[in-house]
Amino acid sequence: MASQTHKVVIIGSGPAGWTAAIYAARANLDPVVYVGVPKQHPSIQLPGGQLMLTTDVENYPGFPEGVSGPEMMQMFQKQAERFGTKTQPRDIVSIKPGDPSQNKPHELTTDTGETVLAHTIILATGATANWMGLESEMRLAQGGGGVSACAVCDGALPMFRDQPLAVVGGGDSAMEEATYLTKFASTVYVIHRRDELRASKVMQERYLSKPNAKVLWNKVVEDLKADKDQFGNEMITGVVLKDTVTGETSTLEVGGLFVAIGHTPATGFLAGSGIALDDKKYVVLKDRSTATNITGIFAAGDVADAKYRQAITAAGTGCQAALDAEHYLGAHGLA
Ligand code: NAP
């Protein structure tokens, strides 16, 4: 049985969740962050979202020399805890909305079956990049071996300069990532499993107009090739491709691989809660706020953003969600 009703429960431990916690804690709202049980990959033992898979973050202001994703998340957590944020190492598996304005708090259930009561909830569970599912892919992504699911985050790193690079996928993300990479790469290869791109015409044209842009049609990646670099680190050297029409296999030499085959928002646990999701299962927000369709429930970061998906935008909306929750609590005499 739950013993107390929290003012703010935050679900998720990426930049959105921790920033919401910093703001809520500094407003004396005693936030509790359910950080989640890590499940992206067996080798990742700490929560912290997508940044746990990012080696160097060079585009977050305030870190002129860059910072590793995991280190950055530990710093966010430390800052939130300095102001009294409590951390719970559990998943929330379901939410039963209440009506805090009528003294009926929201009910959350953890993976161990515990009930948690809250006047406001901030959903910050993020979205997970989809991967092809190859063992070599995850090993190299995790080890800084030249495989990434975010060109905007990693593409400008020195190790990718003047190298042939490949992007897997045929949607807008693949076009956006590939176009970005043409600035640094010798050649960018888009590897697409069909003979027609899914991306919008304008995004296709933007990419195809670059002199170093190429598309490899009807190809899937069967495996990755890797070697030790001069420092003894395993680095990608090529991809083994299979032609989906002829069945032929070939090897393409690349110095980096970017997987852009879509994202899946972490909203499965909201099934049955009544919280509105769009057709791609992202949380729907009201106007320019972080409010969901349910009173006292807010969302921040990638869980409600299929478009920008950056650490800095997630942190920004985490701040907004905490301010929205604070305002809500004040307006209902619950602060
Ligand atoms: P998406 O539109 O779902 O495209 C995913 C692509 O990956 C598709 O081409 C798909 O191939 C391919 N794919 C999926 N699974 C694969 C697998 N296992 N192996 C190989 N290829 C695979 O996802 P997205 O590009 O991330 O875009 C998501 C949403 O965000 C879209 O609505 C998009 O318009 C939007 N977006 C907009 C912008 C922008 O406007 N600036 C930028 C990025 C994203 P098939 O085509 O064969 O299915």
Side-chain angles (χ1 to χ4, degrees), residues 130-133 168-176 191-194 196-200 203 206 219-221 260-263 280 282 306-307 309:
N130 296 338
W131 295 91
M132 296 180 290
V168 185
D172 280 339
S173 293
M175 293 303 106
E176 192 170 46
I191 300 168
H192 185 39
R193 62 185 178 183
R194 294 189 291 135
E196 193 187 351
L197 294 168
R198 178 180 294 277
S200 56
M203 301 284 283
R206 197 169 296 157
K219 300 278 189 293
V220 287
V221 177
I261 59 173
H263 284 75
K280 297 216 165 83
Y282 286 85
K307 189 169 178 187
R309 294 194 296 247

Side-chain angles (χ1 to χ4, degrees), residues 4-214:
Q4 70 173 114
T5 300
H6 300 289
K7 290 177 191 152
V8 183
V9 165
I10 298 163
I11 313 171
S13 50
W18 289 127
T19 306
I22 291 166
Y23 273 77
R26 294 192 76 245
N28 290 335
L29 298 176
D30 308 318
V32 181
V33 179
Y34 279 79
V35 297
V37 180
K39 55 190 87 57
Q40 300 186 86
H41 188 258
S43 61
I44 299 177
Q45 301 296 324
L46 293 168
Q50 287 293 286
L51 282 169
M52 302 310 282
L53 277 171
T54 306
T55 39
D56 292 291
V57 181
E58 291 189 320
N59 54 7
Y60 199 96
F63 296 92
E65 307 303 325
V67 59
S68 85
E71 197 185 341
M72 185 171 158
M73 284 306 91
Q74 278 167 26
M75 290 162 86
F76 273 47
Q77 175 169 1
K78 212 168 151 193
Q79 190 171 350
E81 288 175 345
R82 180 155 84 88
F83 297 108
T85 298
K86 295 274 181 303
T87 301
Q88 289 289 343
R90 300 262 49 99
D91 274 339
I92 295 297
V93 296
S94 65
I95 293 178
K96 188 171 157 211
D99 184 351
S101 65
Q102 302 298 316
N103 212 13
K104 199 168 170 283
H106 304 300
E107 270 183 45
L108 305 92
T109 305
T110 69
D111 57 337
T112 50
E114 190 198 346
T115 300
V116 179
L117 300 177
H119 290 313
T120 65
I121 299 173
I122 296 176
L123 307 169
T125 44
T128 322
N130 296 338
W131 295 91
M132 296 180 290
L134 304 169
E135 186 277 326
S136 50
E137 173 191 33
M138 288 317 297
R139 198 180 67 238
L140 290 166
Q142 171 62 16
V147 175
S148 160
C150 181
V152 179
C153 320
D154 299 328
L157 294 174
M159 67 182 179
F160 295 124
R161 302 267 162 155
D162 302 317
Q163 300 265 2
L165 303 176
V167 175
V168 185
D172 280 339
S173 293
M175 293 303 106
E176 192 170 46
E177 308 241 316
T179 305
Y180 180 73
L181 292 173
T182 58
K183 289 192 251 179
F184 314 107
S186 54
T187 307
V188 178
Y189 297 95
V190 164
I191 300 168
H192 185 39
R193 62 185 178 183
R194 294 189 291 135
D195 62 357
E196 193 187 351
L197 294 168
R198 178 180 294 277
S200 56
K201 276 278 172 291
V202 61
M203 301 284 283
Q204 292 189 29
E205 280 162 14
R206 197 169 296 157
Y207 171 64
L208 293 168
S209 68
K210 303 292 177 192
N212 53 348
K214 287 200 163 63

Side-chain angles (χ1 to χ4, degrees), residues 7 29 98-106 118-120 286 291 294-298 323-335:
K7 290 177 191 152
L29 298 176
D99 184 351
S101 65
Q102 302 298 316
N103 212 13
K104 199 168 170 283
H106 304 300
H119 290 313
T120 65
K286 279 190 185 164
I294 307 275
T295 181
I297 303 187
F298 305 88
L323 295 177
D324 286 344
E326 184 184 2
H327 182 255
Y328 178 90
L329 291 164
H332 293 93
L334 299 167

